[in-house]
Amino acid sequence: MIKIQFLGAKDTVTGSRTLLRFNGKVWLIDCGLFQGPKEVRDRNWEKFDISPHEIDGIILTHAHLDHSGYLPRICSQGYNGPIYMTNGTADLLEILLNDAAKLEEEQANYANRSRYSNHYPAKPLFTSRDVDKCLQLRKSEKRHEWIALDASLSVRFLNAGHIVGASMAQFAVNLGSITRLLTFSGDVGHERSFTLRAPEPIIETDILVLESTYGNRLHPRNSILKELAEVINRTIGRGGVLIIPAFAVGRAQEVVYLIKLLEEKGMIAKVPVLLDSPMANAATNIFLNHPEDQNIDTGFLNSEMPFRPAKFEMISSVDDSMLACMQNDPAIVISASGMLSGGRILHHVKHRIENEKNTILFSGFQAEGTKGRYLQEALENGADTIRIHHEEKRIEAEIVTLDSLSSHGDYQDLLEWLSKIRKFPKHIILNHGEIIAQESFRDKIKSRFDVDVRLASEEEIFRFWQ
């Protein structure tokens, strides 16, 4: 018998952690941070549901922190086993975890200096030393090659088309006279990306654990180039600055390349384009070094210059970032984090949100409880201010969301991807989505396919092949 237990991402899009028990061994698929409002983040401090010493191995679908960010914490608590991932994920993991540790340490130091924390001394969730320990456990693997976890269980990675290295994890479970397949989708992309290859179809699986981030949403199918050009021209035309909160890994690279294409087509003027995120800068270099994930039609394989807009600048130092915040000439600023949950982007928004000439453009999903979701819904909720760094700021800038820029497939993308499976699964479990998205997507799947669809639950342990 195989058992599946969800420790996170059951009714939300953060904290992806799933236990797989088989033949007396325990495997953890993803090990993510809970992100968003404080009551959600506080879950990262709770005791882990199982002793790290009991876990035989960790399989990582991709490097985003909601799937990987708890790794240093669990390693600091004694986990010392292998962490399997693709080569691209291994490269990205180093910059993402080190950046997260730096932020944790800085926040703890600030809390101790200012005494604003309820706990003294305040401690980081994990440290750079914990990250070093974690990175030593990486096992980099190529896609499509079976990895023997033990005599009865193997896993392989299949391209998920979400970010560099992002993969589905497919397990082959040997039940004696028969082998069954169990697939975890991770986060699934779509075929409209200008920079990343589309998610590959899977031939067969008996059980599928499937993400549902956009299970109740449909991305526009009209031209993203035209939509983005309209926002840029409208903002620059009134002498403003376009601020784009973008996830440092994935969305930042897509946006930079789209701006380059718009310049080449003469659809926008050439204005300064500032990528103000050390992590995004490093991720861009990693992206360019992984042609196995690049969309080969983009024409920038193994070449960095065609990727960049004409007046492109990568900003690294804090001083240069502060100068960028203060300059008032028309420009495009891309910075992290994508949900306004921290980082340099908050300084840019804080300095520019009270000017009606400026625009804040969201390029991806905004989780419930984040400042990004708050700004998206501010107009319809009658909110006219937002609190940033303990200051109330009037919302005067234009707020725009282009869902077409999301790196997640919508429900139609996922339904089409499902339809390509030759031997369809008997069971589908939906996770990684808010409950309304999961319920809506469940109904859509059941109306199209003859399949048992269940929703992930932290209370329920799913048992198969008894």
Side-chain angles (χ1 to χ4, degrees):
M1 178 172 56
I2 199 162
K3 298 179 183 178
I4 302 172
Q5 182 180 4
F6 295 90
L7 308 182
K10 56 181 179 57
D11 54 8
T12 181
V13 296
T14 67
S16 289
R17 310 169 186 174
T18 307
L19 287 180
L20 179 66
R21 299 175 187 268
F22 179 66
N23 261 5
K25 292 190 176 182
V26 181
W27 309 91
L28 181 63
I29 295 88
D30 286 335
C31 191
L33 280 179
F34 287 99
Q35 298 171 300
K38 186 178 185 301
E39 60 268 22
V40 176
R41 300 195 310 272
D42 282 349
R43 293 191 61 183
N44 294 314
W45 291 93
E46 296 175 0
K47 184 179 179 181
F48 201 66
D49 299 68
I50 183 174
S51 167
H53 299 283
E54 296 180 50
I55 300 173
D56 293 281
I58 298 175
I59 292 87
L60 199 62
T61 62
H62 67 287
H64 275 153
L65 291 179
D66 60 325
H67 291 257
S68 73
Y70 196 78
L71 284 171
R73 177 76 171 176
I74 204 170
C75 289
S76 72
Q77 296 173 340
Y79 178 75
N80 196 37
I83 307 173
Y84 298 97
M85 64 195 74
T86 63
N87 296 326
T89 296
D91 289 344
L92 288 175
L93 195 67
E94 184 167 356
I95 62 171
L96 280 165
L97 293 186
N98 275 310
D99 182 79
K102 181 180 177 182
L103 288 175
E104 286 288 336
E105 291 166 338
E106 288 176 351
Q107 289 169 0
N109 289 335
Y110 176 75
N112 289 327
R113 291 196 307 271
S114 62
R115 295 294 182 98
Y116 82 81
S117 174
N118 294 328
H119 305 280
Y120 187 85
K123 297 180 179 180
L125 184 67
F126 53 83
T127 67
S128 299
R129 183 175 297 178
D130 298 327
V131 171
D132 290 340
K133 185 186 304 182
C134 163
L135 293 176
Q136 292 175 13
L137 303 176
R138 288 175 296 179
K139 301 290 184 183
S140 300
E141 306 289 347
K142 294 180 180 179
R143 290 197 183 101
H144 305 114
E145 295 185 359
W146 287 105
I147 307 153
L149 300 178
D150 67 12
S152 303
L153 189 67
S154 300
V155 68
R156 65 175 176 176
F157 293 110
L158 306 172
N159 180 30
H162 177 59
I163 61 171
V164 165
S167 299
M168 308 165 206
Q170 185 170 72
F171 292 83
V173 185
N174 188 337
L175 300 173
S177 60
I178 194 171
T179 298
R180 300 290 190 186
L181 295 177
L182 164 63
T183 306
F184 290 82
S185 74
D187 288 353
V188 183
H190 51 76
E191 60 184 14
R192 295 179 300 282
S193 173
F194 284 78
T195 58
L196 290 173
R197 296 178 189 266
E200 66 178 293
I202 59 177
I203 297 174
E204 64 176 306
T205 189
D206 296 284
I207 299 171
L208 174 62
V209 178
L210 179 61
E211 68 120 323
S212 55
T213 307
Y214 280 101
N216 62 336
R217 301 191 193 185
L218 193 63
H219 300 330
R221 293 311 195 260
N222 44 321
S223 170
I224 183 57
L225 288 173
K226 181 180 179 182
E227 286 186 330
L228 182 58
E230 289 174 352
V231 176
I232 293 173
N233 289 330
R234 189 165 65 241
T235 305
I236 301 304
R238 60 183 178 236
V241 175
L242 174 60
I243 307 153
I244 305 178
F247 299 99
V249 177
R251 288 308 82 196
Q253 291 74 44
E254 182 90 358
V255 170
V256 167
Y257 186 63
L258 288 175
I259 294 170
K260 168 67 176 179
L261 289 180
L262 291 174
E263 289 182 351
E264 288 181 342
K265 293 176 180 293
M267 297 174 69
I268 62 171
K270 295 177 180 178
V271 298
V273 178
L274 311 177
L275 183 58
D276 186 12
S277 167
M279 189 198 307
N281 296 338
T284 298
N285 293 329
I286 289 174
F287 169 72
L288 293 169
N289 287 329
H290 281 277
E292 72 274 13
D293 285 307
Q294 294 171 15
N295 184 339
I296 60 175
D297 295 330
T298 55
F300 58 84
L301 290 177
N302 301 317
S303 175
E304 185 174 350
M305 292 310 294
F307 176 76
R308 298 181 171 190
K311 298 181 179 180
F312 181 70
E313 180 182 354
M314 287 183 172
I315 295 177
S316 296
S317 74
V318 174
D319 288 344
D320 287 342
S321 179
M322 292 174 64
L323 288 173
C325 280
M326 292 184 286
Q327 73 95 8
N328 294 313
D329 295 330
I332 301 171
V333 177
I334 306 163
S335 188
S337 68
M339 296 187 192
L340 299 184
S341 55
R344 294 182 179 184
I345 188 62
L346 287 177
H347 294 278
H348 289 284
V349 172
K350 178 181 175 182
H351 279 81
R352 303 188 192 283
I353 197 168
E354 295 186 315
N355 189 333
E356 61 186 11
K357 293 181 179 180
N358 300 328
T359 301
I360 299 170
L361 170 62
F362 291 104
S363 61
F365 183 81
Q366 305 298 305
E368 188 174 354
T370 61
K371 282 184 169 62
R373 175 72 74 89
Y374 177 87
L375 269 184
Q376 280 183 324
E377 299 176 346
L379 186 61
E380 60 185 85
N381 291 337
D384 57 5
T385 65
I386 185 171
R387 189 169 183 81
I388 303 177
H389 296 151
H390 309 292
E391 294 182 34
E392 291 292 333
K393 292 291 182 178
R394 297 189 321 276
I395 304 173
E396 301 288 351
E398 181 183 3
I399 310 298
V400 179
T401 299
L402 293 184
D403 285 330
S404 302
L405 285 169
S406 174
S407 60
H408 285 268
D410 60 23
Y411 71 77
Q412 184 171 310
D413 293 314
L414 293 177
L415 288 174
E416 290 176 358
W417 178 77
L418 284 171
S419 70
K420 297 175 183 177
I421 301 176
R422 297 179 192 174
K423 183 181 177 183
F424 206 76
K426 292 182 174 61
H427 308 280
I428 294 178
I429 307 173
L430 299 181
N431 74 334
H432 202 279
E434 294 171 359
I435 189 65
I436 189 171
Q438 289 190 24
E439 292 175 343
S440 176
F441 193 36
R442 175 195 58 197
D443 295 342
K444 289 178 174 64
I445 295 174
K446 294 184 75 171
S447 68
R448 183 165 173 179
F449 305 101
D450 181 20
V451 61
D452 167 49
V453 185
R454 310 185 207 179
L455 305 187
S457 166
E458 195 165 330
E459 293 74 32
E460 181 179 1
I461 297 177
F462 295 84
R463 293 172 171 86
F464 298 99
W465 308 320
Q466 298 185 37

